[in-house]
Amino acid sequence: MIEKTPLEDWIAGIASENGARDFSRLRDWQMERIRETVECAREASPFYKRHLAGARLPERPGDLAELPFT
């Protein structure tokens, strides 16, 4: 028998509402964290401020390809 890891419980908590799994909630949560990371990098690092200057924040997973390679 394979035991669940704490990570699986954490993901299930984000991806579920009232016990029903909704992975779009997980995707939205992940995209928000990515946007926060890009904004933080722009604010905290002169290099990333220049490197990400023209990049728009991703709204959906397909937008990640538009971020410059870092």
XYZ file of all heavy atoms in Angstrom:
569
model
N 0.833 -1.189 0.000
C 0.000 0.000 0.000
C 0.876 1.251 0.000
O 1.813 1.363 0.771
C -0.902 -0.015 1.227
C -1.769 1.178 1.336
S -2.802 1.017 2.815
C -3.821 2.385 2.563
N 0.579 2.162 -0.889
C 1.329 3.411 -0.986
C 0.676 4.443 -0.069
O -0.530 4.687 -0.149
C 1.354 3.925 -2.439
C 2.044 2.901 -3.344
C 2.049 5.273 -2.503
C 2.005 3.259 -4.804
N 1.491 5.036 0.788
C 0.979 6.050 1.704
C 0.993 7.419 1.051
O 1.847 7.714 0.221
C 1.834 6.082 2.970
C 1.739 4.821 3.787
C 2.550 4.911 5.058
O 2.647 6.019 5.620
O 3.075 3.879 5.473
N 0.031 8.244 1.433
C 0.013 9.624 0.935
C 1.099 10.425 1.638
O 1.376 10.228 2.805
C -1.347 10.267 1.213
C -2.415 9.792 0.276
C -3.748 10.473 0.381
C -3.912 11.615 1.308
N -5.241 12.190 1.336
N 1.676 11.328 0.902
C 2.686 12.208 1.474
C 2.019 13.479 1.979
O 0.900 13.817 1.560
C 3.739 12.583 0.418
O 3.109 13.393 -0.583
C 4.353 11.344 -0.228
N 2.699 14.232 2.839
C 2.146 15.519 3.275
C 1.902 16.472 2.099
O 0.964 17.256 2.116
C 3.217 16.066 4.217
C 3.943 14.862 4.705
C 3.911 13.893 3.569
N 2.732 16.368 1.071
C 2.550 17.216 -0.103
C 1.220 16.937 -0.790
O 0.517 17.854 -1.212
C 3.702 17.024 -1.085
C 3.638 17.825 -2.382
C 3.618 19.323 -2.093
C 4.811 17.481 -3.278
N 0.844 15.670 -0.883
C -0.435 15.322 -1.501
C -1.606 15.908 -0.723
O -2.563 16.404 -1.307
C -0.576 13.804 -1.608
C 0.361 13.198 -2.635
C 0.325 11.692 -2.623
O 0.731 11.104 -1.601
O -0.121 11.124 -3.632
N -1.528 15.881 0.592
C -2.581 16.481 1.411
C -2.645 17.994 1.200
O -3.711 18.582 1.117
C -2.361 16.186 2.898
C -2.653 14.745 3.253
O -3.456 14.100 2.531
O -2.087 14.264 4.249
N -1.482 18.618 1.099
C -1.416 20.063 0.897
C -2.028 20.439 -0.451
O -2.836 21.361 -0.549
C 0.045 20.499 0.984
C 0.267 21.946 0.768
C 0.022 22.968 1.643
C 0.817 22.553 -0.402
N 0.375 24.161 1.080
C 0.871 23.942 -0.171
C 1.276 22.067 -1.612
C 1.367 24.834 -1.116
C 1.758 22.953 -2.549
C 1.795 24.315 -2.290
N -1.663 19.708 -1.502
C -2.209 19.969 -2.835
C -3.715 19.743 -2.837
O -4.470 20.546 -3.397
C -1.513 19.093 -3.901
C -0.072 19.565 -4.092
C -2.271 19.121 -5.228
C 0.768 18.648 -4.949
N -4.161 18.675 -2.203
C -5.601 18.397 -2.146
C -6.338 19.525 -1.438
O -7.457 19.877 -1.810
C -5.844 17.068 -1.447
N -5.719 20.112 -0.422
C -6.345 21.223 0.285
C -6.517 22.449 -0.592
O -7.503 23.178 -0.481
N -5.560 22.692 -1.474
C -5.652 23.828 -2.386
C -6.627 23.525 -3.517
O -7.393 24.379 -3.945
C -4.262 24.166 -2.968
C -3.362 24.709 -1.866
C -4.372 25.178 -4.107
C -1.929 24.867 -2.288
N -6.603 22.290 -3.996
C -7.370 21.921 -5.186
C -8.780 21.457 -4.871
O -9.491 21.035 -5.761
C -6.637 20.832 -5.967
N -9.189 21.533 -3.625
C -10.535 21.045 -3.322
C -11.344 22.090 -2.566
O -10.804 22.925 -1.868
C -10.474 19.759 -2.507
O -9.937 20.000 -1.235
N -12.592 22.013 -2.767
C -13.532 22.863 -2.054
C -14.684 21.961 -1.624
O -15.323 21.319 -2.463
C -14.036 23.983 -2.958
C -14.947 24.946 -2.240
C -15.314 26.125 -3.137
O -14.456 26.600 -3.890
O -16.469 26.539 -3.050
N -14.893 21.881 -0.339
C -15.928 21.005 0.204
C -15.723 19.547 -0.218
O -16.676 18.829 -0.498
C -17.325 21.465 -0.211
C -17.615 22.876 0.259
O -17.144 23.281 1.319
N -18.363 23.612 -0.519
N -14.457 19.129 -0.326
C -14.163 17.742 -0.665
C -14.143 17.427 -2.146
O -13.736 16.355 -2.538
N -14.603 18.339 -2.993
C -14.610 18.107 -4.442
C -13.323 18.676 -5.030
O -13.006 19.831 -4.814
C -15.823 18.762 -5.077
N -12.608 17.864 -5.768
C -11.343 18.336 -6.347
C -11.600 19.181 -7.584
O -12.386 18.816 -8.438
C -10.456 17.164 -6.700
C -9.972 16.486 -5.451
C -8.788 15.664 -5.688
N -8.332 15.179 -4.389
C -7.438 14.264 -4.249
N -6.887 13.722 -5.292
N -7.057 13.882 -3.061
N -10.921 20.298 -7.624
C -11.032 21.223 -8.743
C -9.619 21.705 -9.047
O -9.120 22.612 -8.390
C -11.950 22.390 -8.376
C -12.068 23.424 -9.481
O -11.506 23.193 -10.574
O -12.702 24.456 -9.258
N -8.975 21.068 -10.010
C -7.578 21.380 -10.264
C -7.385 22.740 -10.922
O -6.268 23.229 -10.991
C -6.917 20.245 -11.047
C -6.732 19.029 -10.185
C -7.590 17.959 -10.298
C -5.744 18.992 -9.227
C -7.444 16.850 -9.482
C -5.582 17.895 -8.402
C -6.444 16.814 -8.529
N -8.453 23.370 -11.373
C -8.312 24.739 -11.873
C -7.958 25.666 -10.707
O -7.237 26.645 -10.897
C -9.589 25.203 -12.576
O -10.652 25.308 -11.665
N -8.424 25.353 -9.505
C -8.043 26.142 -8.323
C -6.555 26.019 -8.064
O -5.888 26.996 -7.725
C -8.815 25.682 -7.094
C -10.269 26.080 -7.115
C -10.931 25.691 -5.841
N -10.119 26.237 -4.740
C -10.510 26.310 -3.499
N -11.683 25.882 -3.168
N -9.731 26.812 -2.569
N -6.001 24.812 -8.219
C -4.566 24.606 -8.040
C -3.796 25.380 -9.106
O -2.811 26.048 -8.802
C -4.219 23.120 -8.101
C -2.736 22.776 -8.000
C -2.142 23.281 -6.694
C -2.544 21.274 -8.134
N -4.250 25.305 -10.355
C -3.581 26.034 -11.433
C -3.605 27.535 -11.161
O -2.592 28.227 -11.322
C -4.242 25.728 -12.778
C -3.513 26.386 -13.951
C -4.311 26.354 -15.239
N -5.566 27.063 -15.038
C -6.771 26.550 -15.259
N -6.908 25.331 -15.696
N -7.858 27.273 -15.059
N -4.751 28.057 -10.722
C -4.850 29.486 -10.412
C -3.896 29.868 -9.289
O -3.243 30.911 -9.346
C -6.285 29.853 -10.022
C -7.259 29.717 -11.176
O -6.816 29.632 -12.344
O -8.475 29.686 -10.895
N -3.824 29.012 -8.269
C -2.920 29.269 -7.146
C -1.469 29.284 -7.638
O -0.682 30.166 -7.267
C -3.123 28.198 -6.077
C -2.283 28.403 -4.864
C -2.574 29.165 -3.772
C -0.994 27.829 -4.623
N -1.545 29.093 -2.866
C -0.562 28.278 -3.361
C -0.178 26.977 -5.341
C 0.654 27.907 -2.816
C 1.046 26.613 -4.797
C 1.444 27.074 -3.541
N -1.114 28.317 -8.486
C 0.248 28.252 -9.012
C 0.578 29.483 -9.853
O 1.672 30.047 -9.745
C 0.432 26.987 -9.851
C 0.446 25.720 -9.048
C 0.423 24.479 -9.915
O -0.177 24.462 -10.982
N 1.084 23.432 -9.445
N -0.366 29.908 -10.693
C -0.118 31.079 -11.538
C 0.053 32.333 -10.691
O 0.889 33.181 -10.995
C -1.236 31.260 -12.559
C -1.302 30.162 -13.624
S 0.256 29.883 -14.511
C 0.529 31.471 -15.243
N -0.704 32.457 -9.622
C -0.558 33.614 -8.729
C 0.832 33.616 -8.084
O 1.468 34.659 -7.978
C -1.646 33.612 -7.663
C -1.574 34.794 -6.732
C -1.697 36.145 -7.429
O -2.387 36.251 -8.458
O -1.073 37.117 -6.937
N 1.317 32.453 -7.681
C 2.655 32.372 -7.085
C 3.725 32.734 -8.120
O 4.714 33.383 -7.787
C 2.942 30.957 -6.557
C 2.009 30.448 -5.468
C 2.081 31.175 -4.129
N 1.310 32.372 -4.028
C -0.036 32.464 -3.926
N -0.783 31.403 -3.948
N -0.623 33.622 -3.811
N 3.530 32.321 -9.380
C 4.501 32.666 -10.425
C 4.520 34.175 -10.639
O 5.589 34.785 -10.735
C 4.190 31.918 -11.736
C 4.500 30.429 -11.563
C 4.971 32.502 -12.914
C 4.020 29.552 -12.683
N 3.333 34.790 -10.702
C 3.279 36.255 -10.868
C 3.970 36.960 -9.700
O 4.722 37.918 -9.906
C 1.836 36.721 -11.013
C 1.230 36.379 -12.362
C -0.119 37.051 -12.582
N -1.139 36.540 -11.686
C -1.905 35.484 -11.933
N -1.743 34.795 -13.049
N -2.817 35.093 -11.069
N 3.745 36.489 -8.489
C 4.400 37.082 -7.319
C 5.917 36.930 -7.404
O 6.649 37.857 -7.047
C 3.892 36.424 -6.039
C 2.486 36.814 -5.665
C 1.988 36.070 -4.437
O 2.750 35.271 -3.838
O 0.820 36.280 -4.079
N 6.384 35.783 -7.881
C 7.820 35.546 -8.001
C 8.450 36.481 -9.019
O 9.514 37.062 -8.770
C 8.090 34.077 -8.384
O 7.538 33.232 -7.362
C 9.563 33.798 -8.540
N 7.793 36.665 -10.161
C 8.316 37.571 -11.195
C 8.343 39.005 -10.661
O 9.339 39.717 -10.821
C 7.490 37.471 -12.495
C 7.880 38.556 -13.482
C 7.658 36.091 -13.124
N 7.284 39.428 -10.001
C 7.246 40.784 -9.438
C 8.333 40.979 -8.387
O 9.001 42.013 -8.360
C 5.876 41.077 -8.840
C 4.801 41.263 -9.889
C 3.417 41.447 -9.287
O 3.205 41.053 -8.109
O 2.559 41.986 -9.985
N 8.532 39.981 -7.540
C 9.562 40.056 -6.509
C 10.955 40.156 -7.134
O 11.788 40.944 -6.693
C 9.465 38.839 -5.590
S 10.658 38.845 -4.248
N 11.197 39.355 -8.156
C 12.497 39.398 -8.832
C 12.739 40.770 -9.456
O 13.846 41.313 -9.361
C 12.570 38.310 -9.904
N 11.718 41.347 -10.060
C 11.860 42.684 -10.655
C 12.202 43.728 -9.596
O 12.993 44.627 -9.832
C 10.556 43.102 -11.336
C 10.315 42.475 -12.660
C 9.010 42.977 -13.217
N 8.745 42.455 -14.533
C 7.574 42.497 -15.121
N 6.540 43.037 -14.515
N 7.415 42.003 -16.328
N 11.585 43.618 -8.441
C 11.787 44.613 -7.386
C 13.111 44.427 -6.648
O 13.726 45.414 -6.237
C 10.641 44.543 -6.379
C 9.311 44.975 -6.954
C 8.150 44.715 -5.998
O 8.399 44.337 -4.827
O 7.000 44.883 -6.429
N 13.563 43.198 -6.465
C 14.700 42.926 -5.598
C 16.041 42.824 -6.315
O 17.076 42.898 -5.671
C 14.448 41.632 -4.823
N 16.040 42.657 -7.624
C 17.288 42.406 -8.332
C 17.442 43.360 -9.520
O 16.594 43.377 -10.414
C 17.290 40.961 -8.843
O 18.323 40.762 -9.786
N 18.537 44.117 -9.545
C 18.782 44.986 -10.705
C 18.858 44.184 -12.016
O 18.366 44.632 -13.049
C 20.112 45.656 -10.403
C 20.231 45.598 -8.914
C 19.547 44.326 -8.504
N 19.469 42.981 -11.951
C 19.566 42.152 -13.146
C 18.182 41.799 -13.672
O 17.889 41.976 -14.850
C 20.357 40.869 -12.849
C 20.307 39.885 -13.989
C 21.123 40.041 -15.100
C 19.437 38.801 -13.954
C 21.064 39.144 -16.160
C 19.372 37.888 -15.006
C 20.196 38.067 -16.104
N 17.317 41.273 -12.813
C 15.990 40.857 -13.254
C 15.095 42.055 -13.571
O 14.188 41.940 -14.389
C 15.335 39.922 -12.239
C 15.941 38.550 -12.300
C 16.705 38.061 -11.260
C 15.787 37.751 -13.430
C 17.276 36.797 -11.328
C 16.361 36.499 -13.511
C 17.107 36.028 -12.459
O 17.674 34.791 -12.545
N 15.365 43.183 -12.946
C 14.608 44.388 -13.302
C 14.845 44.717 -14.775
O 13.917 45.042 -15.509
C 15.023 45.562 -12.411
C 14.201 46.797 -12.639
C 14.551 47.858 -11.636
C 13.577 49.004 -11.760
N 13.711 49.933 -10.653
N 16.088 44.614 -15.219
C 16.417 44.854 -16.636
C 15.945 43.693 -17.507
O 15.358 43.899 -18.567
C 17.921 45.038 -16.809
C 18.470 46.328 -16.269
C 19.942 46.524 -16.649
N 20.776 45.363 -16.358
C 21.399 45.138 -15.194
N 21.280 46.003 -14.210
N 22.149 44.064 -15.026
N 16.216 42.469 -17.064
C 15.937 41.278 -17.873
C 14.431 41.061 -18.094
O 14.023 40.589 -19.147
C 16.560 40.054 -17.197
C 16.681 38.865 -18.084
N 17.484 38.844 -19.207
C 16.094 37.651 -18.027
C 17.387 37.671 -19.793
N 16.546 36.926 -19.099
N 13.628 41.416 -17.110
C 12.184 41.201 -17.198
C 11.416 42.496 -17.462
O 10.191 42.520 -17.331
C 11.678 40.552 -15.897
C 12.248 39.178 -15.568
C 11.860 38.771 -14.153
C 11.788 38.145 -16.573
N 12.122 43.543 -17.854
C 11.499 44.862 -18.009
C 10.301 44.853 -18.945
O 9.266 45.415 -18.632
C 12.531 45.874 -18.499
N 10.386 44.233 -20.076
C 9.295 44.266 -21.044
C 8.322 43.102 -20.934
O 7.323 43.051 -21.652
N 8.609 42.178 -20.038
C 7.782 40.973 -19.936
C 6.480 41.280 -19.196
O 6.475 41.959 -18.189
C 8.542 39.876 -19.210
N 5.378 40.747 -19.741
C 4.111 40.906 -19.016
C 3.929 39.702 -18.114
O 4.454 38.617 -18.365
C 2.946 41.073 -19.974
C 2.600 39.885 -20.805
C 1.417 40.202 -21.739
N 1.060 39.029 -22.487
C 0.174 38.123 -22.080
N -0.457 38.284 -20.945
N -0.098 37.065 -22.813
N 3.190 39.888 -17.049
C 2.965 38.802 -16.108
C 2.062 37.754 -16.735
O 1.064 38.095 -17.373
C 2.342 39.340 -14.822
C 3.217 40.293 -14.026
C 2.452 40.823 -12.822
C 4.487 39.605 -13.573
N 2.393 36.478 -16.557
C 1.586 35.408 -17.157
C 0.218 35.305 -16.499
O 0.092 35.419 -15.288
C 2.416 34.156 -16.914
C 3.314 34.482 -15.773
C 3.532 35.952 -15.810
N -0.800 35.098 -17.307
C -2.160 34.921 -16.809
C -2.586 33.461 -16.830
O -3.438 33.043 -16.071
C -3.151 35.742 -17.642
C -2.985 37.241 -17.478
C -3.243 37.714 -16.061
O -4.166 37.199 -15.408
O -2.502 38.595 -15.598
N -1.983 32.680 -17.730
C -2.308 31.252 -17.827
C -1.018 30.507 -18.170
O -0.034 31.123 -18.601
C -3.401 31.007 -18.843
C -3.142 31.530 -20.215
C -4.368 31.403 -21.115
N -3.978 31.484 -22.486
C -3.712 32.607 -23.138
N -3.799 33.757 -22.517
N -3.363 32.591 -24.392
N -1.000 29.193 -17.978
C 0.239 28.433 -18.185
C 0.892 28.648 -19.554
O 2.115 28.696 -19.655
C -0.202 26.974 -17.998
C -1.343 27.060 -17.049
C -2.070 28.327 -17.439
N 0.114 28.814 -20.611
C 0.684 29.024 -21.936
C 1.486 30.311 -22.053
O 2.360 30.429 -22.913
N 1.210 31.267 -21.176
C 1.931 32.545 -21.197
C 3.359 32.424 -20.672
O 4.172 33.327 -20.879
C 1.195 33.597 -20.364
C -0.161 33.951 -20.917
O -0.431 33.668 -22.089
O -0.970 34.537 -20.160
N 3.661 31.341 -19.999
C 5.008 31.188 -19.421
C 6.087 31.182 -20.496
O 7.190 31.639 -20.258
C 5.078 29.902 -18.589
C 4.233 29.898 -17.329
C 4.261 28.516 -16.702
C 4.705 30.948 -16.349
N 5.754 30.702 -21.684
C 6.726 30.665 -22.772
C 7.134 32.061 -23.220
O 8.182 32.229 -23.834
C 6.150 29.884 -23.957
N 6.323 33.069 -22.895
C 6.650 34.434 -23.290
C 7.646 35.106 -22.341
O 8.215 36.134 -22.688
C 5.366 35.265 -23.352
C 4.411 34.781 -24.418
C 3.101 35.538 -24.412
O 3.028 36.637 -23.825
O 2.129 35.019 -24.979
N 7.839 34.529 -21.156
C 8.846 35.085 -20.241
C 10.231 34.824 -20.814
O 10.486 33.752 -21.354
C 8.748 34.436 -18.859
C 7.580 34.866 -17.990
C 7.567 34.045 -16.699
C 7.639 36.340 -17.677
N 11.141 35.790 -20.688
C 12.499 35.568 -21.192
C 13.184 34.438 -20.437
O 12.956 34.252 -19.243
C 13.218 36.897 -20.946
C 12.273 37.776 -20.256
C 10.979 37.101 -20.093
N 14.008 33.703 -21.136
C 14.763 32.628 -20.507
C 15.723 33.236 -19.488
O 16.428 34.183 -19.787
C 15.538 31.841 -21.564
C 16.324 30.710 -20.995
C 15.670 29.558 -20.582
C 17.695 30.798 -20.858
C 16.392 28.493 -20.050
C 18.420 29.743 -20.341
C 17.768 28.595 -19.931
N 15.699 32.735 -18.290
C 16.574 33.293 -17.256
C 17.540 32.236 -16.786
O 18.273 32.366 -15.894
C 15.771 33.826 -16.049
O 14.974 32.772 -15.540
C 14.901 34.996 -16.464
